[in-house]
Every structure is written in C-alpha cells, then in structure tokens.
C-alpha cells in the first residue's frame, strides 16, 4: 500500500490582494511562481555568496548520512567561516572535512543569542539582505523571522510542523517538498513537533503501519519559486541540488497567543501548551481507576474532545 499523492497547486503572478482573498483563507500549501524577489535570484552564485559575507563564523549541521534526524541527532554541530562553508556545501566530495569526505552540510541561520534573538537576515547577513525583496503579503508588525538556509545536494530534513505561517523562498537550486495536512497528525508518529518517520519514501510499515493513511502533498521548488506553508502543515524537505533559501515566518494569530520564549517559531501556542498539561493531569487522575473503568472513561473523554473541538468542514 502506498500513500495517496496530491500535487501542490502552482499559481503564477499572484498579487497580494489575490493571495489574501483567494489563496490564504483556504489554508493549503501553494507554490507561487514569478514573484518579484530582487536581484538575489541572479546574483547569488557561489563566488558572490563567499565574498559578500566573507569569513564571519557560522554554526552548521554536519551529517554523514543524507537523512538528518533531529530526534536521534545523527549529526554534529561545527563552526566554519562563511566563505569556506559555502564552498564546501557546494562540493560533493571534500578534501577537507569533519567526519567523512562525502558529508553533508546545512546552515539554518539563528539570532545572536539563540535563546533570545530571532533569525533576521537583515541582522545576520546584511549584505545579502539588500539583494532580497521579501513578498509583503502580511503586515509589517506581523513579521516574526527571516531564516537564511543553505543545504548540500541530497540533504533531507526531518518532517516537522511550525506554529506560524511561512513562505519558503527558493533563491537558487532545487528542492522537493513533501507535506502532510494537520489533520493527518494521528498517522505521523509524532514526538513533539517532529515525525519519527524519517524515510517518507520507504517507510518502515511494520514500525509505522498507520503512515500509509496520511495523504502526501508534493511539489518541486525551482529557483525563484515561493512555497506558502500554512501553520501546522508538516513538511519534509530534500535539496535535490546545492541551494540557498529564505524562510519568512509571520504571526497570524494575536501576538499574545505565542510563547514569548519562542525564537524558532515552533513552540506550541500558550493556550495549546496549557491544554496539553491539563489533559496530562486528567490522564493521571484516570490511573486511580481500575483498567475497565479507565478504558470506559478515556473513550468518553475522546468522544467529548471530538464533539467539542474537532472541525467537521475539512476538505
């Protein structure tokens, strides 16, 4: 058995008005083509990137395997000068390396103080920021972060969700993105915001039998494409070529809904965290009952949650 595969819709020349009126309210991923992104799409060659930001130090993920797993942490963090990192990430085989000559590299920019500061390309990579025109399809005060990303060819990032809407702007290179609806969370074997199913193409169905029930949305992003990823949609990203991308996250809920200590845009909203804590306490209370009663009242609680909180208008 295989998952149903749905191609992600692609739309060309979408104005801000059309996006907000027709695309955004549907809460589904969509690839936006032909958007005005500035000179970055032509300027950002390996040579230009290397000299634009010079030898400033960057912290990077280094992995000996293509599928990076945040749960088992099958990678190490290392530091390199930016210009050295760019050239290494663009190579397939390395003369100089940390772990192996075919290791993969991944940069996800972070704020000066990871615990307090968000990633903002204007602050971390000011020279490169001047080349980028971020689509202003949300209000300025909603802006949360702009995350600069560089990946080696063949690198695959674990499936996860974020709690904010975002644009994934593919500046150079090519990526394949696999997405799953928030509604399919029960089939994704979650650990926090991440799925335990690492290999979405050849999943271990003995270990993860429900995974086939998840509907797979898929697209390929070419240089210059922008993918709208609505909050809570799971995504798994494979870099088919060395590439540079920029993620822009914005707050679409009231600002006070979000966890103040969240610098990555992936901590559950404060009300959701509170609800989960209350549920954990309720489940602990159920343990005071014999198994037969515990089972009965747990099932009643599930029905009550479905009745009170589930949406019934999913497409």
């Amino acid at each position: 058995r295989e998952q149903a595969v749905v191609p992600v819709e692609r739309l060309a020349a979408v104005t801000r008005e059309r996006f907000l009126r027709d695309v955004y309210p549907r809460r589904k991923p969509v690839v936006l083509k032909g958007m005005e992104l500035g000179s970055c799409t032509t300027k950002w060659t390996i040579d230009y990137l290397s000299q634009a930001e010079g030898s400033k130090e960057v912290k990077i993920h280094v992995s000996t395997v293509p599928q990076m797993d945040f749960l088992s942490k099958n990678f190490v963090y290392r530091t390199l000068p930016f210009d050295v990192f760019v050239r290494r990430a663009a190579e397939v085989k390395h003369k100089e390396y940390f772990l192996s000559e075919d290791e993969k590299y991944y940069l996800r920019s972070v704020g000066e103080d990871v615990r307090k500061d968000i990633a903002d390309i204007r602050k971390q990579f000011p020279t490169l920021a001047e080349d980028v025109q971020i689509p202003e399809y949300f209000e300025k005060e909603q802006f949360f972060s702009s995350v600069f990303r560089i990946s080696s060819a063949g690198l695959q990032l674990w499936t996860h969700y974020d709690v904010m809407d975002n644009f994934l702007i593919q500046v150079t290179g090519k990526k394949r993105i696999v997405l799953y609806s928030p509604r399919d969370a029960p089939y994704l074997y979650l650990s926090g915001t991440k799925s335990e199913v690492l290999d979405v193409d050849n999943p271990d169905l003995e270990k993860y039998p429900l995974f086939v029930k998840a509907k797979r949305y898929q697209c390929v992003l070419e240089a210059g494409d922008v993918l709208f990823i609505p909050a809570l949609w799971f995504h798994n990203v494979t870099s088919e070529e060395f590439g540079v991308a920029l993620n822009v996250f914005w707050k679409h809920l009231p600002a006070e809904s979000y966890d103040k200590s969240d610098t990555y845009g992936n901590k559950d909203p404060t009300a959701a965290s509170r609800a989960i804590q209350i549920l954990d306490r309720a489940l602990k209370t159920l343990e005071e009952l014999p198994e037969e009663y515990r089972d009965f009242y747990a099932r009643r609680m599930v029905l009550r949650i479905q009745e009170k909180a589930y949406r019934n208008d999913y497409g």
Side-chain angles (χ1 to χ4, degrees), residues 164-178:
M164 294 182 197
D165 289 342
N166 82 85
F167 281 144
L168 173 54
I169 301 165
Q170 190 64 29
V171 181
T172 70
K174 193 159 93 175
K175 279 195 175 88
R176 184 201 73 170
I177 322 282
V178 173

Side-chain angles (χ1 to χ4, degrees), residues 24-251:
Y24 193 63
R26 298 195 334 238
R27 311 298 299 155
K28 283 197 163 178
V30 62
V31 177
L32 305 170
K33 299 191 71 64
M35 295 183 77
E36 187 46 66
L37 300 172
S39 59
C40 56
T41 49
T42 49
K43 267 170 102 170
W44 284 9
T45 61
I46 293 161
D47 286 340
Y48 175 78
L49 288 167
S50 301
Q51 58 94 49
E53 296 289 348
S55 59
K56 69 184 292 171
E57 300 251 292
V58 285
K59 189 177 181 185
I60 52 170
H61 302 65
V62 182
S63 176
T64 55
V65 292
Q67 285 169 332
M68 283 176 57
D69 179 4
F70 197 81
L71 295 172
S72 72
K73 296 280 198 302
N74 65 349
F75 53 84
V76 296
Y77 292 106
R78 291 289 182 266
T79 304
L80 277 177
F82 184 74
D83 50 357
V84 175
F85 157 69
V86 169
R87 294 194 180 284
R88 278 216 215 165
E91 301 168 342
V92 178
K93 286 266 188 284
H94 314 293
K95 288 194 178 68
E96 291 180 39
Y97 51 84
F98 295 109
L99 306 170
S100 68
E101 62 174 10
D102 56 355
E103 65 194 14
K104 310 272 182 212
Y105 299 99
Y106 169 57
L107 166 70
R108 182 231 189 262
S109 66
V110 292
E112 280 22 87
D113 180 337
V114 184
R115 287 180 297 280
K116 292 192 199 134
D117 303 324
I118 51 112
D120 184 341
I121 190 172
R122 293 167 298 191
K123 291 180 183 162
Q124 285 98 43
F125 298 93
T127 309
L128 294 177
E130 288 174 17
D131 303 334
V132 185
Q133 191 177 314
I134 290 172
E136 292 189 352
Y137 284 24
F138 49 91
E139 300 300 326
K140 276 197 169 32
E141 61 272 16
Q142 288 178 284
F143 171 84
F144 175 71
S145 66
S146 49
V147 182
F148 183 62
R149 300 181 192 270
I150 295 184
S151 306
S152 293
L155 187 77
Q156 185 171 13
L157 286 180
W158 54 89
T159 306
H160 67 284
Y161 70 87
D162 300 295
V163 299
M164 294 182 197
D165 289 342
N166 82 85
F167 281 144
L168 173 54
I169 301 165
Q170 190 64 29
V171 181
T172 70
K174 193 159 93 175
K175 279 195 175 88
R176 184 201 73 170
I177 322 282
V178 173
L179 305 108
Y180 297 99
S181 158
R183 204 177 189 187
D184 282 346
Y187 313 133
L188 298 181
Y189 298 87
L190 296 186
S191 176
T193 60
K194 300 158 190 74
S195 167
E196 289 179 17
V197 186
L198 204 55
D199 191 342
V200 294
D201 301 305
N202 299 290
D204 180 343
L205 294 180
E206 282 191 12
K207 199 172 179 186
Y208 308 115
L210 297 177
F211 187 64
V212 286
K213 291 188 171 189
K215 188 192 284 185
R216 172 182 175 129
Y217 291 76
Q218 189 166 308
C219 62
V220 171
L221 288 191
E222 308 276 354
D225 288 349
V226 177
L227 173 63
F228 168 54
I229 307 177
L232 310 182
W233 273 76
F234 296 88
H235 43 288
N236 178 290
V237 181
T238 305
S239 296
E240 297 195 342
E241 303 167 350
F242 164 78
V244 184
L246 184 67
N247 262 120
V248 184
F249 292 86
W250 67 90
K251 300 175 177 182

